[in-house]
């Protein structure tokens, strides 16, 4: 995707949703950190359901430590990997109390040093809570970046680097929210809803689904003939 196309891509997404926000429910920065930390392999709807009562009771790291691991498990047991997540949240809360005065640090290195907090989680917190121009690459952004040609990469880190390089100034703060929402509701994994996509003409994805109810064209399988196999064996022998 060329420079002018990228600008138009985000201009249209911004026009459709001028103030994009995370769909995770939280009341303060600490609750945001907890919500993102336990959201791995879970939906935002599921996380919000699990944390609704939790966040009424727990608003600070000290309160989370007082609740304890078993108490936290009782709140988030509907979420996958809740045992490990509860252990990490209690551990990171203890560190915040001990080393950061009970506050969430506005620093990526300090955040990723916390148990259960990876680069993606840190980027979400830095962007959403502290207004930093970061790009939290989840499965949606990874798919949209590669599928559209906006930011291609074999790893989330590679896609993040491309976004950091290519996203123009006016859209950097909201970019990861726009891309997540676009991937979640329009550019879906199995069947992208291209017929209602506002950036369909800018997208490099070839098997577009332009009619509602249609399925993406099935890619043709490569036919490997005996002649091609023999040729590969000869080449392999020569280069061995």
């Amino acid at each position: 995707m060329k420079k002018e196309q990228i600008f138009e891509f985000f201009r249209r997404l911004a026009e459709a949703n001028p103030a994009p926000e995370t769909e995770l429910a939280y009341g303060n920065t600490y609750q945001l950190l907890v919500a993102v930390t336990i959201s791995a392999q879970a939906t935002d709807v599921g996380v919000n359901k699990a944390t609704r009562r939790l966040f009424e009771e727990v608003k600070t790291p000290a309160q989370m430590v007082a609740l304890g691991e078993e108490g936290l498990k009782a709140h988030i047991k509907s979420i996958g990997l809740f045992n490990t997540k509860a252990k990490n949240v209690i551990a990171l809360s203890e560190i915040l109390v001990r080393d950061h005065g009970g506050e969430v640090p506005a620093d990526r290195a300090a955040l990723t040093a916390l148990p259960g907090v990876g680069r993606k989680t840190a980027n979400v917190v830095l962007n959403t809570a502290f207004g930093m121009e970061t790009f939290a690459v989840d499965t949606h952004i990874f798919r949209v970046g590669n599928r559209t040609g906006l930011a291609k990469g074999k790893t989330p880190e590679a896609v993040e680097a491309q976004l950091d390089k290519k996203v123009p100034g006016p859209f950097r703060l909201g970019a990861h929210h726009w891309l997540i929402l676009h991937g979640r509701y329009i550019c879906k994994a199995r069947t992208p809803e291209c017929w209602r996509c506002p950036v369909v003409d800018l997208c490099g994805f070839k098997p577009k689904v332009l009619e509602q109810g249609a399925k993406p064209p099935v890619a043709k399988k490569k036919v490997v003939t005996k002649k091609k196999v023999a040729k590969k064996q000869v080449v392999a022998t020569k280069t061995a």
Side-chain angles (χ1 to χ4, degrees):
M1 196 177 292
K2 296 179 180 179
K3 186 177 180 179
E4 59 273 17
Q5 291 176 312
I6 293 174
F7 188 94
E8 179 63 14
F9 182 96
F10 283 105
R11 188 198 67 75
R12 294 184 195 177
L13 295 183
E15 184 177 51
N17 184 5
E21 297 178 345
T22 178
E23 293 187 322
L24 288 171
Y26 65 98
N28 58 37
T29 303
Y30 171 67
Q31 290 182 340
L32 172 65
L33 174 61
V34 172
V36 180
T37 300
I38 67 175
S39 69
Q41 299 182 37
T43 65
D44 286 0
V45 172
V47 172
N48 291 341
K49 184 177 180 180
T51 59
R52 185 167 57 248
R53 291 185 178 180
L54 171 66
F55 286 165
E56 290 176 358
E57 180 180 350
V58 175
K59 295 177 173 60
T60 68
Q63 291 174 339
M64 185 68 80
V65 173
L67 176 65
E69 191 173 324
E70 293 305 316
L72 177 55
K73 285 180 183 179
H75 282 284
I76 67 171
K77 61 185 178 181
S78 61
I79 298 176
L81 305 175
F82 71 92
N83 287 313
T84 299
K85 291 175 180 179
K87 181 178 181 180
N88 286 334
V89 168
I90 295 300
L92 72 82
S93 299
E94 291 173 342
I95 293 172
L96 291 178
V97 171
R98 185 188 71 215
D99 299 340
H100 300 283
E103 299 294 328
V104 177
D107 178 80
R108 183 185 284 113
L111 285 169
T112 54
L114 298 172
V117 179
R119 187 177 180 89
K120 186 198 76 173
T121 296
N123 281 342
V124 171
V125 173
L126 292 173
N127 178 274
T128 304
F130 299 109
M132 296 187 186
E133 296 176 350
T134 59
F135 306 91
V137 179
D138 68 350
T139 54
H140 295 301
I141 293 183
F142 186 80
R143 178 177 67 255
V144 171
N146 277 286
R147 179 184 278 171
T148 63
L150 171 67
K152 290 188 174 183
K154 294 183 178 180
T155 65
E157 291 77 13
V159 171
E160 180 186 342
Q162 286 295 305
L163 289 172
D164 192 26
K165 179 181 178 181
K166 294 180 177 180
V167 177
F171 309 111
R172 293 179 65 82
L173 186 60
H176 101 261
H177 290 301
W178 282 312
L179 294 175
I180 286 174
L181 295 173
H182 188 66
R184 183 174 293 164
Y185 296 112
I186 296 179
C187 197
K188 299 176 181 179
R190 290 189 177 183
T191 306
E193 299 181 0
C194 307
W195 69 86
R196 65 185 190 91
C197 176
V199 292
V200 64
D201 57 310
L202 303 172
C203 174
F205 185 56
K206 291 184 178 180
K208 292 183 172 69
V209 184
L210 299 175
E211 294 183 12
Q212 187 172 0
K215 294 183 179 181
V218 178
K220 293 182 179 180
K221 293 183 179 180
K222 292 183 179 180
V223 179
V224 180
T225 63
K226 292 182 179 181
K227 185 176 181 180
K228 288 182 178 179
V229 172
K231 185 177 181 180
K232 286 183 178 180
Q233 290 175 340
V234 171
V235 172
T237 303
K238 291 181 178 179
T239 55

